[in-house]
Amino acid sequence: MITVTIWNEYRQDKTVESIRKIYPDGIHTALKNGLESPDLNIRTTVLDDPQQGLSDEILDSTDVLIWWAHAAHHELTDENVRRIVEKVHSGMGLIVLHSGHYSKIFQALCGTSCSLKWRESGEKERLWCIQPFHPIARGVPETFVVPQTEMYGERFDIPEDARIIYMSWYEGGEVFRSGITLERGYGKIFYFSPGHESFPIYYQPEILQIISNAIRWAAPQCRGVINAPKVPNLEPIRSKE
Ligand code: ZN
């Protein structure tokens, strides 16, 4: 059983009528419904929950944290950023979605600005898998279309060790590294860009399949505290004598 926490800022999808029409119970609920599976124990939390939805009880029992945020990145406390980064270093999986590219947690884990170009145009996006044998791509066609999306374009300021799983091409001409993996400490991270709140992207089967695969991929295989221990020598050091 993998315990998944879907964390959503839950602001625009709570207050903006046109977005409420697409996600009447919030993006987190749509994702939960779309990802339900017998081997997953999925719960949702939101920014306005006690302790910003990130109590010790929740974080300590989370195998994979899914993160959707946009308008309130700055509200996440630095202490919660530190706690999440530490959890990832210790093995918790992290899936950062769409505008989460600019979240403090993703920036902290990347060590870069994570900036990109964007355009809210409702244009077509074509995704291409360039690692067809990667577990995140299992059961998903090599290429598929999101009919209407927000354009996210290069240059995406992410570190050089990001492994590209999906590339996107947009009707308006740009390209983007839309699905990338990183490893930090013992933790695995997947960033996936589709998911703009004004389009029903989290109901699309290919998108849900990729996130679902990413949960299994990011689930911790090993956990441990990252520290810098002082250690005794295992064998005699003769050159000192
Ligand atoms: Zn967006």
Side-chain angles (χ1 to χ4, degrees), residues 155-235:
R155 183 175 182 260
F156 188 17
D157 185 25
I158 51 174
E160 290 297 315
D161 63 321
R163 187 176 186 200
I164 308 166
I165 312 297
Y166 282 94
M167 287 287 307
S168 283
W169 166 87
Y170 298 88
E171 212 174 339
E174 285 83 0
V175 293
F176 189 64
R177 288 166 286 172
S178 48
I180 58 112
T181 63
L182 289 162
E183 291 176 21
R184 291 292 181 266
Y186 293 103
K188 291 178 176 173
I189 303 164
F190 180 55
Y191 171 76
F192 193 46
S193 63
H196 184 59
E197 65 277 4
S198 336
F199 305 112
I201 294 171
Y202 292 130
Y203 298 106
Q204 189 169 336
E206 297 94 336
I207 299 294
L208 288 169
Q209 183 67 55
I210 289 169
I211 298 171
S212 171
N213 290 343
I215 291 171
R216 275 81 177 182
W217 170 81
Q221 271 135 26
C222 124
R223 285 192 190 255
V225 176
I226 297 280
N227 52 15
K230 181 183 178 185
V231 296
N233 43 306
L234 301 171
E235 297 183 34

Coordinates of all heavy atoms in Angstrom, one line a residue, residues 155-235:
R155 N 13.1 28.8 -22.2 CA 14.0 27.9 -21.4 C 13.4 27.8 -20.0 O 13.0 28.7 -19.4 CB 15.4 28.5 -21.3 CG 16.3 27.5 -20.5 CD 17.7 28.0 -20.5 NE 18.4 27.0 -19.7 CZ 18.8 27.1 -18.4 NH1 18.5 28.2 -17.8 NH2 19.4 26.1 -17.8
F156 N 13.3 26.5 -19.7 CA 12.9 26.1 -18.3 C 14.2 26.0 -17.5 O 15.0 25.2 -17.8 CB 12.2 24.7 -18.5 CG 11.5 24.2 -17.2 CD1 11.2 25.0 -16.2 CD2 11.1 22.9 -17.1 CE1 10.6 24.6 -15.0 CE2 10.5 22.4 -16.0 CZ 10.2 23.2 -15.0
D157 N 14.3 26.8 -16.5 CA 15.5 26.9 -15.7 C 15.5 25.8 -14.6 O 15.2 26.1 -13.5 CB 15.7 28.3 -15.1 CG 17.0 28.5 -14.4 OD1 18.0 27.7 -14.8 OD2 17.1 29.3 -13.5
I158 N 15.9 24.6 -15.1 CA 16.0 23.5 -14.1 C 17.5 22.9 -14.2 O 18.1 23.2 -15.2 CB 15.0 22.4 -14.4 CG1 15.0 22.0 -15.9 CG2 13.6 22.8 -14.0 CD1 14.1 20.8 -16.3
P159 N 17.9 22.2 -13.2 CA 19.3 21.7 -13.2 C 19.6 20.7 -14.3 O 18.7 20.0 -14.9 CB 19.5 21.1 -11.9 CG 18.1 20.8 -11.3 CD 17.2 21.8 -12.0
E160 N 20.8 20.6 -14.7 CA 21.3 19.7 -15.8 C 21.0 18.2 -15.5 O 21.0 17.4 -16.5 CB 22.8 19.9 -16.0 CG 23.1 21.3 -16.6 CD 22.5 21.5 -18.0 OE1 22.6 20.5 -18.8 OE2 22.0 22.5 -18.3
D161 N 20.9 17.8 -14.3 CA 20.6 16.4 -14.0 C 19.2 16.0 -14.1 O 18.8 14.8 -13.9 CB 21.2 16.0 -12.6 CG 20.5 16.7 -11.5 OD1 20.1 17.9 -11.6 OD2 20.2 16.1 -10.4
A162 N 18.3 16.9 -14.6 CA 16.9 16.5 -14.8 C 16.9 15.6 -16.0 O 17.4 15.9 -17.1 CB 16.1 17.8 -15.1
R163 N 16.2 14.4 -15.8 CA 16.1 13.5 -16.9 C 14.8 13.7 -17.6 O 13.7 13.7 -17.0 CB 16.2 12.1 -16.4 CG 16.2 11.0 -17.5 CD 16.4 9.6 -16.9 NE 16.6 8.7 -18.0 CZ 16.3 7.4 -17.9 NH1 15.9 6.9 -16.8 NH2 16.5 6.6 -18.9
I164 N 14.8 13.9 -18.9 CA 13.6 14.2 -19.7 C 12.9 12.9 -20.0 O 13.4 12.1 -20.7 CB 14.0 15.0 -21.0 CG1 14.9 16.2 -20.7 CG2 12.7 15.4 -21.7 CD1 15.5 16.8 -21.9
I165 N 11.6 12.9 -19.6 CA 10.8 11.7 -19.9 C 9.8 12.2 -21.0 O 9.5 11.4 -21.9 CB 10.0 11.2 -18.7 CG1 10.9 11.0 -17.5 CG2 9.2 9.9 -19.0 CD1 12.0 10.0 -17.6
Y166 N 9.2 13.4 -20.9 CA 8.3 13.9 -21.9 C 8.7 15.3 -22.3 O 9.2 16.1 -21.6 CB 6.9 14.1 -21.3 CG 6.1 12.7 -21.2 CD1 6.2 11.9 -20.1 CD2 5.5 12.3 -22.4 CE1 5.6 10.7 -20.1 CE2 4.9 11.0 -22.4 CZ 4.9 10.2 -21.2 OH 4.3 9.0 -21.2
M167 N 8.6 15.5 -23.7 CA 8.8 16.8 -24.3 C 7.4 17.2 -24.8 O 6.6 16.4 -25.3 CB 9.7 16.7 -25.5 CG 11.2 16.5 -25.2 SD 12.0 18.0 -24.5 CE 11.6 19.2 -25.8
S168 N 7.2 18.5 -24.9 CA 5.9 19.0 -25.4 C 6.2 20.0 -26.6 O 7.2 20.7 -26.6 CB 5.1 19.7 -24.4 OG 4.4 18.8 -23.6
W169 N 5.3 19.9 -27.6 CA 5.3 20.9 -28.6 C 3.9 21.6 -28.6 O 2.9 21.0 -28.3 CB 5.5 20.2 -30.0 CG 5.2 21.1 -31.1 CD1 6.0 22.0 -31.8 CD2 3.9 21.3 -31.8 NE1 5.3 22.7 -32.8 CE2 4.0 22.2 -32.8 CE3 2.6 20.7 -31.6 CZ2 3.0 22.6 -33.7 CZ3 1.6 21.0 -32.5 CH2 1.8 22.0 -33.5
Y170 N 3.9 22.9 -28.8 CA 2.7 23.7 -28.8 C 2.4 24.3 -30.1 O 3.3 24.6 -30.9 CB 2.8 24.9 -27.8 CG 3.0 24.4 -26.4 CD1 4.3 24.1 -25.9 CD2 2.0 24.2 -25.5 CE1 4.5 23.7 -24.6 CE2 2.2 23.7 -24.2 CZ 3.5 23.5 -23.8 OH 3.7 23.0 -22.5
E171 N 1.1 24.4 -30.4 CA 0.6 24.9 -31.6 C 1.2 26.3 -32.0 O 1.5 26.6 -33.1 CB -1.0 25.1 -31.5 CG -1.7 25.0 -32.7 CD -3.2 25.1 -32.4 OE1 -3.7 24.9 -31.2 OE2 -4.0 25.3 -33.3
G172 N 1.5 27.1 -31.0 CA 2.1 28.4 -31.2 C 3.5 28.4 -31.5 O 4.1 29.5 -31.8
G173 N 4.2 27.2 -31.4 CA 5.6 27.1 -31.9 C 6.6 26.7 -30.8 O 7.7 26.2 -31.2
E174 N 6.3 26.9 -29.5 CA 7.3 26.6 -28.5 C 7.5 25.1 -28.2 O 6.6 24.3 -28.6 CB 7.0 27.3 -27.2 CG 7.2 28.8 -27.2 CD 6.1 29.6 -27.8 OE1 5.1 28.9 -28.2 OE2 6.2 30.8 -27.8
V175 N 8.5 24.7 -27.6 CA 8.7 23.4 -27.0 C 9.0 23.5 -25.5 O 9.4 24.6 -25.0 CB 9.9 22.6 -27.7 CG1 9.5 22.3 -29.2 CG2 11.2 23.4 -27.6
F176 N 8.9 22.4 -24.8 CA 9.1 22.4 -23.4 C 9.4 21.0 -22.9 O 8.9 20.0 -23.3 CB 7.8 22.9 -22.7 CG 7.9 23.2 -21.2 CD1 8.8 24.2 -20.8 CD2 7.2 22.5 -20.3 CE1 8.9 24.5 -19.4 CE2 7.3 22.7 -18.9 CZ 8.2 23.7 -18.5
R177 N 10.3 21.0 -21.8 CA 10.6 19.7 -21.2 C 9.4 19.5 -20.1 O 9.5 20.0 -19.0 CB 11.9 19.7 -20.5 CG 13.1 19.7 -21.5 CD 14.4 20.1 -20.8 NE 14.5 21.5 -20.6 CZ 15.5 22.1 -19.9 NH1 16.4 21.4 -19.4 NH2 15.5 23.4 -19.8
S178 N 8.4 18.8 -20.5 CA 7.1 18.8 -19.8 C 7.1 17.7 -18.7 O 6.2 17.8 -17.8 CB 5.9 18.7 -20.7 OG 6.1 17.7 -21.6
G179 N 7.9 16.7 -18.8 CA 7.9 15.7 -17.8 C 9.4 15.3 -17.5 O 10.1 14.8 -18.3
I180 N 9.9 15.7 -16.3 CA 11.3 15.4 -16.0 C 11.4 14.8 -14.6 O 10.5 14.9 -13.7 CB 12.1 16.7 -16.0 CG1 11.6 17.8 -15.0 CG2 12.2 17.3 -17.4 CD1 12.4 18.1 -13.9
T181 N 12.5 14.0 -14.4 CA 12.7 13.4 -13.1 C 14.0 13.9 -12.5 O 14.9 14.3 -13.2 CB 12.8 11.8 -13.2 OG1 13.9 11.5 -14.0 CG2 11.5 11.2 -13.8
L182 N 14.0 13.9 -11.2 CA 15.2 14.3 -10.4 C 15.3 13.3 -9.2 O 14.3 12.8 -8.8 CB 15.1 15.7 -9.9 CG 15.1 16.9 -10.9 CD1 14.6 18.1 -10.3 CD2 16.6 17.1 -11.3
E183 N 16.5 13.2 -8.7 CA 16.7 12.5 -7.4 C 17.4 13.4 -6.5 O 18.4 14.1 -6.9 CB 17.5 11.2 -7.7 CG 16.7 10.2 -8.4 CD 17.5 8.9 -8.8 OE1 18.5 8.6 -8.1 OE2 17.1 8.2 -9.7
R184 N 16.9 13.5 -5.3 CA 17.6 14.4 -4.3 C 17.6 13.6 -3.0 O 16.6 13.2 -2.5 CB 16.8 15.7 -4.1 CG 16.8 16.6 -5.3 CD 18.2 17.2 -5.4 NE 18.3 18.2 -6.5 CZ 18.7 17.9 -7.8 NH1 19.0 16.6 -8.1 NH2 18.8 18.8 -8.7
G185 N 18.8 13.4 -2.5 CA 19.0 12.5 -1.3 C 18.5 11.1 -1.7 O 18.8 10.6 -2.7
Y186 N 17.6 10.6 -0.8 CA 17.0 9.3 -1.1 C 15.6 9.4 -1.9 O 15.0 8.4 -2.2 CB 16.6 8.5 0.2 CG 17.9 8.1 1.0 CD1 18.3 8.7 2.1 CD2 18.6 6.9 0.6 CE1 19.4 8.3 2.8 CE2 19.7 6.5 1.3 CZ 20.1 7.2 2.4 OH 21.2 6.8 3.1
G187 N 15.2 10.7 -2.2 CA 13.9 10.9 -2.7 C 13.9 11.1 -4.2 O 14.8 11.6 -4.8
K188 N 12.8 10.6 -4.8 CA 12.6 10.8 -6.3 C 11.5 11.8 -6.5 O 10.5 11.9 -5.8 CB 12.1 9.5 -6.9 CG 13.2 8.4 -6.9 CD 12.5 7.1 -7.4 CE 13.5 6.0 -7.6 NZ 12.7 4.8 -8.0
I189 N 11.8 12.7 -7.5 CA 10.9 13.8 -7.9 C 10.5 13.7 -9.3 O 11.3 13.4 -10.2 CB 11.7 15.1 -7.6 CG1 12.2 15.2 -6.2 CG2 10.8 16.3 -8.0 CD1 13.2 16.3 -6.0
F190 N 9.2 13.9 -9.6 CA 8.7 14.0 -11.0 C 8.0 15.3 -11.1 O 7.1 15.7 -10.3 CB 7.8 12.9 -11.3 CG 7.2 12.9 -12.7 CD1 8.1 12.9 -13.8 CD2 5.8 12.8 -12.9 CE1 7.5 12.9 -15.1 CE2 5.3 12.8 -14.2 CZ 6.2 12.9 -15.3
Y191 N 8.4 16.1 -12.1 CA 7.7 17.3 -12.5 C 6.9 17.1 -13.8 O 7.5 16.6 -14.7 CB 8.6 18.5 -12.6 CG 7.9 19.7 -13.2 CD1 7.0 20.5 -12.4 CD2 7.9 20.0 -14.6 CE1 6.2 21.5 -12.9 CE2 7.1 21.1 -15.1 CZ 6.3 21.8 -14.3 OH 5.5 22.8 -14.8
F192 N 5.7 17.5 -13.8 CA 4.8 17.2 -15.0 C 4.0 18.5 -15.2 O 3.2 18.9 -14.3 CB 3.9 16.0 -14.7 CG 3.2 15.5 -15.9 CD1 3.9 15.3 -17.1 CD2 1.9 15.1 -15.9 CE1 3.3 14.8 -18.3 CE2 1.3 14.6 -17.0 CZ 2.0 14.5 -18.2
S193 N 4.2 19.1 -16.4 CA 3.6 20.4 -16.6 C 2.1 20.5 -16.9 O 1.4 21.5 -16.6 CB 4.4 21.2 -17.6 OG 4.3 20.6 -18.9
P194 N 1.5 19.5 -17.6 CA 0.1 19.7 -18.0 C -0.8 19.9 -16.7 O -0.5 19.2 -15.7 CB -0.3 18.5 -18.7 CG 1.0 18.0 -19.3 CD 2.0 18.3 -18.3
G195 N -1.8 20.7 -16.7 CA -2.7 20.8 -15.6 C -3.2 22.2 -15.3 O -3.5 22.6 -14.1
H196 N -3.2 23.1 -16.3 CA -3.7 24.5 -16.1 C -5.2 24.4 -15.6 O -6.0 23.6 -16.2 CB -3.6 25.3 -17.3 CG -4.0 26.7 -17.1 ND1 -3.4 27.5 -16.2 CD2 -5.0 27.4 -17.7 CE1 -4.0 28.7 -16.3 NE2 -5.0 28.7 -17.2
E197 N -5.5 25.2 -14.6 CA -6.8 25.1 -13.9 C -8.0 25.4 -14.8 O -9.2 25.0 -14.5 CB -6.8 26.0 -12.7 CG -6.7 27.5 -12.9 CD -5.3 28.0 -13.1 OE1 -4.4 27.2 -13.2 OE2 -5.1 29.2 -13.3
S198 N -7.9 26.1 -15.9 CA -9.1 26.5 -16.7 C -9.5 25.5 -17.7 O -10.4 25.7 -18.5 CB -8.9 27.8 -17.5 OG -7.9 28.6 -16.9
F199 N -8.7 24.4 -17.8 CA -9.1 23.3 -18.8 C -9.2 22.0 -18.0 O -8.4 21.8 -17.1 CB -8.0 23.2 -19.9 CG -7.8 24.5 -20.6 CD1 -6.6 25.2 -20.4 CD2 -8.8 25.1 -21.4 CE1 -6.3 26.4 -21.0 CE2 -8.5 26.3 -22.0 CZ -7.3 27.0 -21.8
P200 N -10.0 21.1 -18.5 CA -10.3 19.8 -17.8 C -9.2 18.8 -17.9 O -9.4 17.6 -18.2 CB -11.6 19.3 -18.3 CG -11.6 19.9 -19.7 CD -10.8 21.2 -19.7
I201 N -7.9 19.2 -17.8 CA -6.8 18.3 -18.1 C -6.7 17.1 -17.2 O -6.2 16.0 -17.6 CB -5.5 19.2 -18.2 CG1 -5.6 20.2 -19.3 CG2 -4.2 18.3 -18.3 CD1 -4.5 21.2 -19.4
Y202 N -7.1 17.3 -15.9 CA -6.9 16.2 -14.9 C -8.1 15.2 -15.0 O -8.2 14.3 -14.1 CB -6.8 16.7 -13.5 CG -5.4 17.4 -13.3 CD1 -5.4 18.7 -12.7 CD2 -4.2 16.8 -13.7 CE1 -4.2 19.3 -12.6 CE2 -3.0 17.5 -13.6 CZ -3.0 18.7 -13.0 OH -1.8 19.4 -12.8
Y203 N -8.9 15.2 -16.1 CA -9.8 14.2 -16.4 C -9.3 13.3 -17.6 O -9.9 12.4 -18.0 CB -11.2 14.8 -16.7 CG -11.8 15.5 -15.6 CD1 -11.9 16.9 -15.6 CD2 -12.3 14.8 -14.5 CE1 -12.4 17.6 -14.6 CE2 -12.9 15.5 -13.4 CZ -13.0 16.9 -13.5 OH -13.5 17.6 -12.4
Q204 N -8.2 13.8 -18.2 CA -7.7 13.1 -19.4 C -7.0 11.8 -19.1 O -6.1 11.8 -18.3 CB -6.8 14.1 -20.2 CG -6.5 13.5 -21.6 CD -5.8 14.6 -22.5 OE1 -5.9 15.8 -22.3 NE2 -5.0 14.1 -23.4
P205 N -7.4 10.7 -19.7 CA -6.8 9.4 -19.2 C -5.3 9.3 -19.3 O -4.7 8.8 -18.4 CB -7.5 8.4 -20.2 CG -8.7 9.0 -20.7 CD -8.5 10.5 -20.7
E206 N -4.7 9.8 -20.4 CA -3.2 9.7 -20.5 C -2.5 10.5 -19.4 O -1.5 10.0 -18.9 CB -2.7 10.3 -21.9 CG -3.3 9.5 -23.1 CD -4.5 10.2 -23.7 OE1 -5.3 10.9 -22.9 OE2 -4.8 10.0 -24.8
I207 N -3.1 11.6 -19.0 CA -2.5 12.5 -18.0 C -2.6 11.7 -16.6 O -1.6 11.6 -15.9 CB -3.2 13.8 -17.9 CG1 -3.1 14.6 -19.2 CG2 -2.7 14.6 -16.7 CD1 -1.7 15.0 -19.6
L208 N -3.7 11.2 -16.3 CA -3.9 10.4 -15.1 C -3.0 9.2 -15.1 O -2.5 8.8 -14.0 CB -5.4 10.0 -14.9 CG -6.3 11.2 -14.6 CD1 -7.8 10.7 -14.7 CD2 -6.1 11.7 -13.2
Q209 N -2.9 8.5 -16.2 CA -2.0 7.3 -16.3 C -0.6 7.7 -15.9 O 0.1 7.0 -15.2 CB -2.1 6.7 -17.6 CG -1.3 5.4 -17.8 CD -1.9 4.3 -16.9 OE1 -3.1 3.9 -17.0 NE2 -1.1 3.7 -16.1
I210 N -0.1 8.8 -16.5 CA 1.3 9.2 -16.2 C 1.5 9.5 -14.7 O 2.4 9.1 -14.1 CB 1.6 10.4 -17.1 CG1 1.8 9.9 -18.6 CG2 2.9 11.1 -16.7 CD1 1.9 11.0 -19.6
I211 N 0.5 10.3 -14.1 CA 0.7 10.6 -12.7 C 0.6 9.3 -11.9 O 1.3 9.2 -10.9 CB -0.4 11.7 -12.3 CG1 -0.2 13.0 -13.1 CG2 -0.3 11.9 -10.8 CD1 -1.4 14.0 -12.9
S212 N -0.3 8.5 -12.2 CA -0.5 7.2 -11.5 C 0.8 6.4 -11.6 O 1.3 5.8 -10.6 CB -1.7 6.4 -12.2 OG -1.7 5.2 -11.7
N213 N 1.4 6.3 -12.8 CA 2.7 5.6 -12.9 C 3.8 6.3 -12.1 O 4.6 5.6 -11.5 CB 3.2 5.6 -14.4 CG 2.3 4.7 -15.3 OD1 1.6 3.9 -14.8 ND2 2.4 5.0 -16.6
A214 N 3.7 7.6 -12.1 CA 4.8 8.4 -11.3 C 4.7 8.1 -9.8 O 5.7 8.1 -9.1 CB 4.6 9.9 -11.6
I215 N 3.5 7.9 -9.3 CA 3.3 7.6 -7.9 C 4.1 6.3 -7.6 O 4.8 6.2 -6.6 CB 1.8 7.4 -7.5 CG1 1.1 8.7 -7.6 CG2 1.7 6.8 -6.1 CD1 -0.4 8.6 -7.5
R216 N 3.9 5.2 -8.4 CA 4.5 3.9 -8.2 C 6.1 4.1 -8.3 O 6.8 3.5 -7.5 CB 4.0 2.9 -9.1 CG 2.8 2.2 -8.7 CD 1.6 2.9 -9.0 NE 0.3 2.2 -8.7 CZ -0.9 2.7 -8.9 NH1 -1.0 3.9 -9.4 NH2 -1.9 2.0 -8.5
W217 N 6.5 4.9 -9.3 CA 7.9 5.1 -9.5 C 8.6 5.9 -8.3 O 9.7 5.5 -7.9 CB 8.1 5.9 -10.8 CG 9.5 6.3 -11.0 CD1 10.6 5.6 -11.4 CD2 10.1 7.6 -10.7 NE1 11.7 6.4 -11.4 CE2 11.5 7.6 -11.0 CE3 9.5 8.8 -10.2 CZ2 12.3 8.7 -10.8 CZ3 10.3 9.9 -10.0 CH2 11.7 9.9 -10.3
A218 N 7.8 6.9 -7.8 CA 8.4 7.7 -6.8 C 8.3 7.2 -5.4 O 8.9 7.7 -4.4 CB 7.8 9.1 -6.8
A219 N 7.5 6.1 -5.2 CA 7.3 5.5 -3.8 C 8.6 5.1 -3.3 O 9.4 4.5 -4.0 CB 6.3 4.4 -3.9
P220 N 8.9 5.4 -2.0 CA 10.3 5.2 -1.5 C 10.6 3.7 -1.5 O 9.8 2.8 -1.1 CB 10.2 5.7 -0.1 CG 8.8 6.0 0.2 CD 8.0 6.0 -1.1
Q221 N 11.8 3.4 -2.0 CA 12.4 2.0 -1.9 C 13.3 1.9 -0.7 O 13.6 0.9 -0.2 CB 13.1 1.6 -3.2 CG 12.2 1.0 -4.2 CD 12.4 1.6 -5.6 OE1 13.5 2.1 -5.9 NE2 11.4 1.6 -6.4
C222 N 13.8 3.1 -0.3 CA 14.7 3.1 0.8 C 14.5 4.4 1.5 O 14.3 5.5 0.9 CB 16.1 2.8 0.3 SG 17.4 4.0 0.7
R223 N 14.5 4.4 2.8 CA 14.4 5.7 3.6 C 15.6 5.8 4.5 O 16.1 4.8 5.0 CB 13.2 5.7 4.4 CG 11.9 6.0 3.6 CD 10.8 6.3 4.5 NE 9.5 6.3 3.9 CZ 8.8 7.4 3.7 NH1 9.3 8.6 4.0 NH2 7.6 7.4 3.1
G224 N 16.1 7.0 4.7 CA 17.2 7.2 5.7 C 17.4 8.7 5.9 O 17.0 9.5 5.0
V225 N 17.9 9.0 7.0 CA 18.2 10.4 7.3 C 19.5 10.8 6.7 O 20.5 10.1 6.8 CB 18.2 10.6 8.8 CG1 18.6 12.1 9.2 CG2 16.9 10.3 9.5
I226 N 19.5 11.9 5.9 CA 20.7 12.4 5.3 C 21.4 13.3 6.4 O 20.9 14.3 6.8 CB 20.4 13.2 4.1 CG1 19.7 12.4 3.0 CG2 21.7 13.9 3.5 CD1 20.6 11.5 2.2
N227 N 22.6 12.8 6.8 CA 23.4 13.6 7.7 C 24.9 13.4 7.3 O 25.2 12.8 6.3 CB 23.1 13.3 9.1 CG 23.3 11.8 9.4 OD1 23.8 11.1 8.6 ND2 22.8 11.3 10.5
A228 N 25.8 14.0 8.1 CA 27.2 13.8 7.7 C 27.9 13.2 8.9 O 28.5 13.9 9.7 CB 27.7 15.2 7.4
P229 N 27.8 11.9 9.1 CA 28.3 11.3 10.3 C 29.9 11.3 10.3 O 30.5 11.0 9.3 CB 27.7 9.9 10.2 CG 27.5 9.6 8.8 CD 27.2 10.9 8.2
K230 N 30.4 11.5 11.5 CA 31.8 11.2 11.8 C 32.0 9.7 12.0 O 31.3 9.2 12.9 CB 32.3 12.1 13.0 CG 33.8 11.9 13.3 CD 34.1 12.7 14.5 CE 35.6 12.5 14.9 NZ 36.0 13.1 16.1
V231 N 32.9 9.1 11.3 CA 32.9 7.6 11.5 C 34.3 7.1 11.9 O 35.3 7.7 11.5 CB 32.5 6.9 10.2 CG1 31.0 7.2 9.9 CG2 33.4 7.3 9.0
P232 N 34.4 6.0 12.6 CA 35.7 5.4 12.9 C 36.3 4.7 11.7 O 35.5 4.3 10.9 CB 35.4 4.5 14.1 CG 34.0 4.1 13.8 CD 33.3 5.3 13.2
N233 N 37.6 4.5 11.6 CA 38.2 3.7 10.5 C 37.8 2.3 10.7 O 37.7 1.7 11.8 CB 39.7 3.9 10.4 CG 40.4 3.9 11.7 OD1 40.0 4.7 12.6 ND2 41.4 3.1 11.9
L234 N 37.6 1.6 9.6 CA 37.3 0.2 9.6 C 38.5 -0.7 9.7 O 38.5 -1.8 10.1 CB 36.5 -0.2 8.3 CG 35.2 0.6 8.1 CD1 34.6 0.3 6.7 CD2 34.2 0.2 9.2
E235 N 39.6 -0.2 9.2 CA 40.9 -1.0 9.2 C 41.9 -0.1 9.8 O 41.8 1.1 9.7 CB 41.3 -1.4 7.7 CG 40.2 -2.3 7.1 CD 40.6 -2.8 5.7 OE1 41.8 -3.0 5.5 OE2 39.7 -2.9 4.9

